[in-house]
Amino acid sequence: AVSLVLLLALLMLLYHYLVLEDLSALGEIGDLSQRYTDEWLQNLVPETRWLPRKARELGAIAASAFGAGFGGSVWAIVEKDKADDFLNAWMAAYQADETCAQAAARPQCNFFKMVPGPGAFSLSGKKWCINAASHAAAPAPAEEAPAAEEAAHAEEAAPAEAEK
């Protein structure tokens, strides 16, 4: 139970550093999360150990496995203008690696890129904001509430994901 609480705290730090755009710290927290998942939860397979490590070697800002364990997926955050080259290099390296070649040949193995969406918003039109001091969600004051359509779409980092 303690290890799960620590992993959740690391996820909160990941969010915090992403919001602050502290990419170095974001990468370090992602690496720590991956390490603790492997050492404490012990639910990774060779491919979900290999993919984040290779993503970081190829220049990803951060990378980690996610899912229920014993298979699953891996995400990597890279600069948007480098996403295509990164994704091609990551996939080629995965297919060429002795440890991963068999899994890479499976039809359910997919590499793809995506751009983050606008984040959570209410379909009923109610505006919400995060209180910076408490990190609690609360209704936004009318003058500060951005319209859902105006939510930031132009993120400079685009996660790339690989499903084993």
Side-chain angles (χ1 to χ4, degrees), residues 15 19 29 44 66 76 79 96 114 119 123:
Y15 167 78
V19 169
I29 294 296
L44 297 180
F66 69 100
E79 293 175 45
M114 58 168 283
L123 294 176

Side-chain angles (χ1 to χ4, degrees), residues 66-158:
F66 69 100
F70 305 107
S73 300
V74 172
W75 58 262
I77 299 175
V78 299
E79 293 175 45
K80 191 174 184 177
D81 62 342
K82 297 177 182 176
D84 289 329
D85 291 339
F86 169 82
L87 192 62
N88 291 331
W90 199 25
M91 183 170 49
Y94 187 64
Q95 292 167 339
D97 187 81
E98 289 178 8
T99 304
C100 304
Q102 186 176 2
R106 293 185 188 132
Q108 62 267 41
C109 176
N110 294 297
F111 284 74
F112 57 93
K113 71 176 183 176
M114 58 168 283
V115 176
F121 59 90
S122 171
L123 294 176
S124 68
K126 191 172 195 174
K127 311 292 190 224
W128 292 87
C129 68
I130 300 293
N131 179 317
S134 68
H135 297 290
E143 66 276 0
E144 294 180 21
E149 300 82 34
E150 297 174 8
H153 291 287
E155 297 290 333
E156 289 303 313

